[in-house]
Amino acid sequence: MNHNPFRKLPSVERLLGDQRVAALAARHGHGPVVGLARAVLDEYRAAIEATGGSPERPPAEAVVERAASLEPSLRPVVNATGVIIHTNLGRAPLSDDALAAMQRAGAGYSNLEYDLASGERGSRFTHLESVLCRVTGAEAGLAVNNNASALLLALSALCAGREVVISRAQLVEIGGGFRIPDVMRQSGATLVEVGTTNRTYLRDYAEAITERTAALLRVHASNFRVVGFTEEAPLAGLAALARERGLLLLDDLGSGALLDPRRYGLGAEPLVADSIGAGLDVARFSGDKLLGGPQAGIAVGRAEPIAALRRHPLARAVRMDKGSIAGLAATLAAYERGDAERTVPVWRMIAAAPAALRRRAARWTRAATAAGAAASTVSARSTVGGGSLPGEELPTFACAVRPASGSAAALAARLRTGQPPVVARSEHDRGLLDPRTVDERDDRAVAGALAAALAPAVTAGS
Ligand SMILES: *Cc1c(COP(=O)(O)O)cnc(C)c1O
């Protein structure tokens, strides 16, 4: 061999002249693509040095493959799992109103921390307070970054250096390693456990109260259910006990339902209004679970403890950004107007009519059948998810697909890695796609994704 393999490597300029690479540069900018081209050429040179020969694959192809790393990592995904508040898929999709409000808040300046009447500095915490009070019936309200930070803030501001009494049945792990006892330790409050895993009586709380006690804490065991021989102290009883002994009663509702899911044949979820009605001091819940808004942790209750939360230095560290404040305000407005079931996607999905779901699933079934798969429209079950209403299901219709060749898991993988990515459920040897959690505007894209995902399997089998 007398030729020099280094000579066969193109220059960076030549590589950028390749049509596919030029298209990437137009899309992602010159700089990042030059970076990729240099990195690929360096690797090819190193490979030649090591082996004496150049890699088979044209360098332009290697650049195209690597350009995937220039795409934004966070991408839209179609959720066909039927799990409405899917934590891994971003929890609640937002209403059109919320999105419009976030767009307006982000596009320009706002009175975020500015009092237009006086021309002086204002507080970002004022924007949500009155609407929170109107929709929950509370005296005062505050929203921060998420419910976990609202818990940390409440315990730090109200209970640091003192004791908090909680039932052993409520020392829960919410998910992602978030455990109530760990947060309590962070806040400087001391945990006092009472009762047993399955039974805790009001008198267990009463007997644990000392001069060091600051509060009684109730946590909704949102993501599991204890059934059978169980006992829980009623909220009204806890409220009376706290009042009598001069303690605070704090409530972690988890989801924070403003509407009653029993209207849709689901089980009971603690309602925010009921907690406020029971006269407790601070009730907390997430903004992006059953409420259906942006990520937030909402604390509502009596004016004095809420003001203490607002004044605590941690409030600054866990504050919300302006976009989320705008989106949450628009979401809360839907409850106030009374149209949340139509306009807030989480509730629209809960309320979806079975006949419409069947019709939409059938359309996907036709697309999958046309692509050569054994598909049918079947009765299935959707769930609310997000640690709300564990074990509760909504009857739905789904498109069940058995690929002509290859496994259901392989089909699910092709759907996930397609464009748009579609996340479906695999059950035994078939993939299940539930229209309940899919925006109707994406129905056609899902049919296309199904056809594309089934195509290679059909070719292989024929
Ligand atoms: C989900 C949940 C949390 C955590 O809420 P985030 O908003 O995710 O921080 C806390 N407590 C309970 C009971 C929950 O269900």
Side-chain angles (χ1 to χ4, degrees):
M1 286 281 176
N2 58 2
H3 72 264
N4 178 355
F6 287 103
R7 285 266 176 86
K8 285 175 64 184
L9 281 183
S11 65
V12 172
E13 287 71 41
R14 271 257 318 281
L15 199 45
L16 287 169
D18 179 283
Q19 220 173 37
R20 291 163 302 174
V21 178
L24 288 175
R27 178 173 161 75
H28 299 290
H30 190 68
V33 177
V34 168
L36 283 185
R38 288 218 172 97
V40 165
L41 290 175
D42 283 348
E43 268 171 43
Y44 274 53
R45 259 179 233 113
I48 293 169
E49 262 158 34
T51 66
S54 180
E56 300 258 306
R57 178 176 213 199
E61 260 175 39
V63 173
V64 169
E65 187 185 274
R66 267 215 225 140
S69 67
L70 298 178
E71 295 292 339
S73 167
L74 182 67
R75 289 191 289 155
V77 161
V78 175
N79 173 14
T81 64
V83 181
I84 297 174
I85 305 167
H86 198 305
T87 298
N88 301 143
L89 301 183
R91 286 197 186 156
L94 299 178
S95 69
D96 291 343
D97 281 352
L99 292 170
M102 292 172 92
Q103 157 95 25
R104 276 195 302 276
Y109 297 98
S110 61
N111 62 339
L112 181 65
E113 292 187 351
Y114 186 72
D115 184 337
L116 288 168
S118 67
E120 281 167 19
R121 192 198 158 96
S123 161
R124 72 174 64 214
F125 292 123
T126 57
H127 300 295
L128 289 163
E129 172 137 46
S130 60
V131 65
L132 281 174
C133 293
R134 290 196 304 271
V135 298
T136 64
E139 247 173 59
L142 175 76
V144 294
N145 185 59
N146 63 340
N147 194 12
S149 56
L151 171 61
L152 181 62
L153 176 60
L155 292 174
S156 305
L158 305 171
C159 309
R162 302 184 64 198
E163 292 175 354
V164 177
V165 183
I166 182 171
S167 160
R168 288 200 165 85
Q170 299 174 0
L171 292 170
V172 300
E173 174 171 321
I174 308 303
F178 173 77
R179 290 175 165 183
I180 296 290
D182 296 340
V183 178
M184 214 171 251
R185 212 165 300 123
Q186 283 296 322
S187 73
T190 305
L191 181 81
V192 177
E193 303 172 28
V194 297
T196 60
T197 311
N198 57 330
R199 312 203 101 190
T200 305
Y201 304 94
L202 197 54
R203 65 162 188 273
D204 293 323
Y205 290 87
E207 286 163 8
I209 295 169
T210 69
E211 72 284 355
R212 288 178 38 82
T213 309
L216 311 179
L217 172 63
R218 185 182 82 146
V219 177
H220 175 48
S222 46
N223 48 8
F224 68 101
R225 256 193 340 209
V226 182
V227 292
F229 188 58
T230 66
E231 176 81 31
E232 203 173 65
L235 197 57
L238 287 173
L241 177 62
R243 230 181 354 259
E244 186 192 310
R245 309 291 289 266
L247 304 172
L248 295 168
L249 176 57
L250 314 178
D251 196 9
D252 183 350
L253 291 165
S255 236
L258 295 180
L259 297 175
D260 194 338
R262 283 175 298 191
R263 280 197 225 176
Y264 299 100
L266 289 163
E269 180 75 14
L271 300 176
V272 178
D274 290 348
S275 287
I276 298 301
L280 52 67
D281 296 279
V282 178
R284 290 175 298 95
F285 50 96
S286 296
D288 52 352
K289 292 184 181 171
L290 271 181
L291 185 68
Q295 180 186 304
I298 296 163
V300 292
R302 288 197 309 103
E304 216 176 295
I306 295 290
L309 263 58
R310 200 179 294 128
R311 281 194 306 267
H312 193 273
L314 259 184
R316 171 66 171 76
V318 298
R319 69 185 189 181
M320 279 177 94
D321 85 298
K322 60 189 175 188
S324 300
I325 291 173
L328 184 55
T331 307
L332 291 166
Y335 289 92
E336 213 177 359
R337 285 194 307 267
D339 61 24
E341 277 130 316
R342 273 179 294 118
T343 58
V344 174
V346 164
W347 285 96
R348 197 166 60 217
M349 289 171 184
I350 289 175
L357 294 169
R358 173 184 249 158
R359 187 168 33 72
R360 295 174 57 201
R363 217 178 295 150
W364 296 339
T365 299
R366 284 196 295 277
T369 307
S376 54
T377 304
V378 299
S379 297
R381 308 252 140 201
S382 317
T383 56
V384 176
S388 320
L389 299 160
E392 296 283 339
E393 297 177 323
L394 290 159
T396 190
F397 289 95
C399 162
V401 193
R402 211 171 261 122
S405 68
S407 65
L411 172 66
R414 279 197 298 278
L415 284 168
R416 276 200 315 271
T417 51
Q419 190 48 248
V422 175
V423 183
R425 237 166 41 213
S426 304
E427 233 180 54
H428 312 300
D429 53 350
R430 59 189 195 174
L432 274 189
L433 289 88
D434 185 343
R436 186 187 295 275
T437 47
V438 176
D439 189 320
E440 266 194 87
R441 292 170 285 196
D442 290 332
D443 277 6
R444 194 187 292 266
V446 171
L450 260 176
L454 290 166
V458 172
T459 316
S462 58

